[in-house]
Amino acid sequence: MDPFLGLLHSLSSGLSSSELTELKFLCHGRVGKRKLERVQSGLDLFSVLLEQSDLEPERTELLRELLTELRRHDLLRRLDAFEAGAAGGPAPGAEDLRVAFDIVCDNVGREWRRLARQLQVSDAKIDGIEERFPRNLSERVRESLRVWKNAQKEGATVARLVEALRGCGMNLVADLVEEQQQARGRDQGGAASPMSWDSGAP
């Protein structure tokens, strides 16, 4: 099976009827009224978007925006995993980074811009994130972290994220991330050292 079609099938299976109704509403103006009326499932909607070339394996921005509007972080993680696989497989430490992102999103509020700048996300991208998520502070944080991860690639590590948090004076959040990493290291059979969080470490 085509990996992208497999992803869409998986996402569709995870949608409730009310979420499908929300997605159809969000696609008004992009999908014609008659086509929307025939949509009975997530797969139906995704098929229409594929036909219109609004969805492609290399262009998942619309899919990400739709899932973000639904606040389905679990489905967004499936999309993240697909994108990582399409780029050649998940980098070492990718799961640790996802866990760290969750902690940051839960604990960094209105100071998200300061953290984004510390991570060298440009002001233009920060403004764009603010426009895309005007009412969702947590998603602004998550999107800024995703932009940083995509830009830095292998350089986006938990160690670097902790360094940026401390550079912003967000020591409590940095401590939470470090504690979680140490707990994960113990669960995996050994204490994690700060060096092991860096995906570039041997």
Side-chain angles (χ1 to χ4, degrees):
M1 179 187 293
D2 180 279
F4 189 57
L5 296 182
L7 169 69
L8 296 180
H9 184 273
S10 171
L11 297 178
S12 176
S13 299
L15 295 172
S16 67
S17 58
S18 62
E19 287 171 332
L20 176 61
T21 300
E22 286 186 60
L23 289 180
K24 290 168 68 174
F25 174 78
L26 291 169
C27 287
H28 272 288
R30 185 182 294 272
V31 177
K33 183 179 179 180
R34 289 184 180 179
K35 287 185 179 180
L36 283 177
E37 288 174 350
R38 292 196 295 267
V39 167
Q40 300 296 321
S41 68
L43 279 181
D44 289 343
L45 180 59
F46 295 150
S47 295
V48 172
L49 294 173
L50 283 168
E51 289 172 6
Q52 298 181 173
S53 298
D54 287 322
L55 277 185
E56 295 177 0
E58 298 80 18
R59 292 178 56 228
T60 58
E61 297 86 357
L62 174 61
L63 184 58
R64 182 174 294 280
E65 288 181 18
L66 293 173
L67 295 177
T68 297
E69 287 294 330
L70 295 181
R71 301 183 183 181
R72 288 297 303 271
H73 301 308
D74 56 328
L75 300 185
L76 281 166
R77 281 193 284 271
R78 294 184 198 176
L79 177 56
D80 288 339
F82 167 80
E83 290 179 343
E95 181 60 30
D96 287 343
L97 201 57
R98 280 195 290 272
V99 172
F101 279 13
D102 288 342
I103 294 171
V104 173
C105 290
D106 288 341
N107 292 278
V108 172
R110 298 184 181 280
E111 296 297 319
W112 70 276
R113 295 178 197 80
R114 189 148 56 101
L115 176 59
R117 292 190 180 102
Q118 188 73 21
L119 291 169
Q120 299 182 334
V121 177
S122 70
D123 285 343
K125 289 189 180 296
I126 290 172
D127 290 342
I129 291 169
E130 199 159 20
E131 288 176 9
R132 286 175 61 192
F133 306 104
R135 297 180 300 276
N136 194 325
L137 190 57
S138 177
E139 285 307 324
R140 292 182 197 175
V141 180
R142 188 175 295 279
E143 184 66 10
S144 65
L145 293 174
R146 193 181 72 84
V147 168
W148 165 68
K149 178 176 178 290
N150 288 347
Q152 297 297 315
K153 302 188 185 308
E154 292 84 359
T157 64
V158 175
R160 176 68 188 94
L161 180 57
V162 168
E163 180 184 335
L165 287 164
R166 296 203 183 281
C168 293
M170 300 178 185
N171 291 313
L172 178 59
V173 185
D175 290 344
L176 290 172
V177 172
E178 289 185 333
E179 288 167 9
Q180 181 63 35
Q181 293 302 306
Q182 289 169 356
R184 283 174 59 78
R186 287 194 295 271
D187 290 343
Q188 293 166 5
S193 69
M195 285 302 294
S196 70
W197 304 336
D198 191 331
S199 62

